[in-house]
Each structure stands twice: as structure tokens, then as C-alpha cells.
Amino acid sequence: MRDLNITSVIPPFQERGRLRPWQKNPKKTSDMAEMEVGPLIQVKVLFFARARELTGLTDISLLMPPRSTARDCMSKLLNKFPKLEEIYNSMVVALNEEYAPESTVLRNSDELAIIPPISGG
């Protein structure tokens, strides 16, 4: 019977800088998320009229994964400010001072405005 050398059967993970499946990764989760999708982008969100009343803020900066859409940003805002649900179906968004659909992909330093319905006479 032939002797098998265990190192020829099991690849040397440590030598290639990878961990074996049962070893824990020493990096933080946030570091791993950044490694997988790239650095986060920063988006400035402006609140107007009723949106400002519901959030109590004029603006907020959000960190989002690259390739996030305005809809992704809105989901994050709805989690943070559940009262925005009141106007969600009737509001529009503007990206960098132009109306935009929620499917628009955001880029670093974009400015997203939340514009609720405005009535007046």
C-alpha cells in the first residue's frame, strides 16, 4: 500500500494567505463588506416640506455600497425614519437637482432630494 503525504492532498491554505474553512477571519465585518463591494459612497440627502417635518432634519449624509440606487437609499431612510412611509407613495426624488427615477444609480458625493407633494393655492 502506498503512503499518502497529507500535504499533497490538502492544499496549504496558510501559504496562500487564505484561511481554512473552520478558522475565523480576524478582519472586522465592515472591512469584509468593503473588500467585497469596494469602498462605500457618501450621499447627501436633503429633506423638504413634510419630509423635513417627519425626520426633524434638513439633511443627512448616508454611506451606501457602490452601485446603490435611489431606491436603496430610500429603503435605508425608511428603516431609519419609519414616519417617511406616510409620504413615500406620493413623493418624488431629485438627484443633483434633477428629477430622477428611483432606479437611478448613485455615485459618490451625489445629492438626493426627497420632495413630498406640495399643495397650495
Side-chain angles (χ1 to χ4, degrees):
M1 185 168 174
R2 191 172 146 211
D3 289 335
L4 289 177
N5 182 346
I6 192 80
T7 58
S8 66
V9 177
I10 300 175
F13 286 92
Q14 298 290 30
E15 291 177 6
R16 291 194 302 237
R18 297 188 314 187
L19 297 172
R20 292 189 172 110
W22 61 87
Q23 292 176 311
K24 291 185 178 181
N25 192 334
K27 290 187 176 263
K28 296 178 193 171
T29 305
S30 60
D31 293 342
M32 287 304 294
E34 188 170 313
M35 287 173 52
E36 290 174 10
V37 296
L40 298 176
I41 62 169
Q42 186 168 5
V43 178
K44 183 176 183 179
V45 181
L46 306 174
F47 299 106
F48 293 96
R50 184 72 178 139
R52 183 177 289 176
E53 293 171 9
L54 294 170
T55 62
L57 300 171
T58 57
D59 62 77
I60 189 172
S61 288
L62 295 178
L63 291 176
M64 301 292 295
R67 299 178 300 281
S68 292
T69 63
R71 181 176 296 111
D72 297 330
C73 193
M74 282 305 307
S75 293
K76 190 169 189 174
L77 289 169
L78 287 168
N79 283 332
K80 189 169 183 70
F81 306 104
K83 291 181 182 180
L84 282 176
E85 189 70 43
E86 174 187 315
I87 61 169
Y88 179 72
N89 291 323
S90 56
M91 65 177 205
V92 293
V93 294
L95 184 62
N96 301 322
E97 300 182 7
E98 291 190 28
Y99 290 112
E102 285 190 350
S103 60
T104 304
V105 176
L106 303 173
R107 294 183 308 224
N108 193 42
S109 301
D110 274 350
E111 191 175 77
L112 186 70
I114 310 300
I115 306 169
I118 301 172
S119 62

